[in-house]
Amino acid sequence: AIVKILLEKKFVKNYSDLYELHKHKDELVQIERWGEKSVQNLLDGIEASKSKPYHRVLYSIGIRHVGTTIAQKLAEQFSSIDELEKATEEQLLEVEDIGPKISESIVHFFSEKHNREIVERLKKFGLQLSQDKKKSVGKLSGKTFVLTGTLPTLKRDEAKNMIESNGGKTASSVSKNVDYVVVGEDAGSKLEKALSLGIKTIEEVEFLRMVK
C-alpha cells in the first residue's frame, strides 16, 4: 500500500529513488494517516538498508533467476558489482549452480543502460556493492575442480566440502579455467569436454591423495 502511494504521487519511479525519499518528508507527513512517526520509521528503514551486505543487495536489485543462494555464490566469486558487470557468460558458468539460463540473464541485465544507471545511483547513495575477497588457504588453494559422475565412496557434497575446506573452488561446468575434473562412474559429457580441452582428469583415489 505504501509503495502504491509513493508511485501514484510520483515520489519514486524505480527502487533507487527510495534513497532520495527524505527530500519529500514534508509532503509525506501530509498524507492521510501517515504522520511524522510513520514517515520517520520509513526513512530510518531505508537508511538502515545501506548497511545490508553485498550479497543481499545483489539479490534485491532483481536480476531474473538470481535468488538468495545464487546471489551469495556470485558475491563469493565476484567481490564487487563492477566485477560482476564485466563478467562473461563463460566466466559465470564457472560458478557452481549457475547454468546457461542464469548466466544469460545476468549478462542481459548489465547490458541494459537503464539497469547500469540504477546501479550507479545505488553506489552514490552508499549501498554495499562490494566485499573483501576471501583468502584461499590450503593444499588446493587457487585450484578449481569439477566433479562428474558417481564417485566410489564420496558423496558429491562431501567432495565439494573437502575441496573448499582445503582452499579450492568447485565449478559446475568444464572450461579452460578448470584445473582438475574428478571423474566417477557414468561421467558423460563433462569428461569428454575435459579431454578435448586437455584438462587433467583424476579419479577419487588420486583426489584423496591430494587432500590428505
Side-chain angles (χ1 to χ4, degrees), residues 112-160:
E112 295 196 344
K113 184 182 177 185
H114 170 72
N115 293 329
R116 295 198 304 274
E117 287 173 347
I118 288 179
V119 169
E120 286 303 313
R121 290 191 79 203
L122 296 180
K123 285 184 199 172
K124 185 182 80 173
F125 296 134
L127 275 79
Q128 302 300 309
L129 287 164
S130 65
Q131 66 184 25
D132 293 335
K133 283 189 176 180
K134 288 183 180 178
K135 292 183 179 178
S136 296
V137 178
K139 299 170 186 175
L140 307 181
S141 179
K143 303 297 182 186
T144 301
F145 292 76
V146 167
L147 302 163
T148 182
T150 305
L151 300 177
T153 66
L154 292 174
K155 292 181 180 177
R156 185 69 62 92
D157 284 346
E158 290 175 323
K160 179 191 165 195

Side-chain angles (χ1 to χ4, degrees), residues 177-195:
N177 296 319
V178 170
D179 298 287
Y180 296 96
V181 175
V182 184
V183 179
E185 192 176 346
D186 299 325
S189 60
K190 289 181 181 178
L191 173 58
E192 293 173 13
K193 188 166 184 182
L195 294 172

Side-chain angles (χ1 to χ4, degrees), residues 49-162:
S49 73
K50 294 179 182 180
S51 63
K52 295 292 182 184
Y54 168 43
H55 69 274
R56 295 294 304 167
V57 182
L58 189 54
Y59 161 63
S60 299
I61 64 176
I63 303 174
R64 194 177 184 201
H65 306 308
V66 174
T68 53
T69 302
I70 294 297
Q72 179 80 59
K73 290 178 184 291
L74 287 169
E76 290 169 1
Q77 186 74 19
F78 304 97
S79 61
S80 73
I81 198 87
D82 293 330
E83 281 188 26
L84 183 61
E85 185 179 323
K86 294 171 186 171
T88 63
E89 283 191 40
E90 185 182 40
Q91 289 171 323
L92 290 163
L93 286 169
E94 291 168 16
V95 180
E96 187 186 18
D97 295 334
I98 290 186
K101 185 166 70 172
I102 299 175
S103 62
E104 184 181 337
S105 176
I106 295 166
V107 169
H108 176 71
F109 178 88
F110 287 109
S111 71
E112 295 196 344
K113 184 182 177 185
H114 170 72
N115 293 329
R116 295 198 304 274
E117 287 173 347
I118 288 179
V119 169
E120 286 303 313
R121 290 191 79 203
L122 296 180
K123 285 184 199 172
K124 185 182 80 173
F125 296 134
L127 275 79
Q128 302 300 309
L129 287 164
S130 65
Q131 66 184 25
D132 293 335
K133 283 189 176 180
K134 288 183 180 178
K135 292 183 179 178
S136 296
V137 178
K139 299 170 186 175
L140 307 181
S141 179
K143 303 297 182 186
T144 301
F145 292 76
V146 167
L147 302 163
T148 182
T150 305
L151 300 177
T153 66
L154 292 174
K155 292 181 180 177
R156 185 69 62 92
D157 284 346
E158 290 175 323
K160 179 191 165 195
N161 289 338
M162 291 173 80

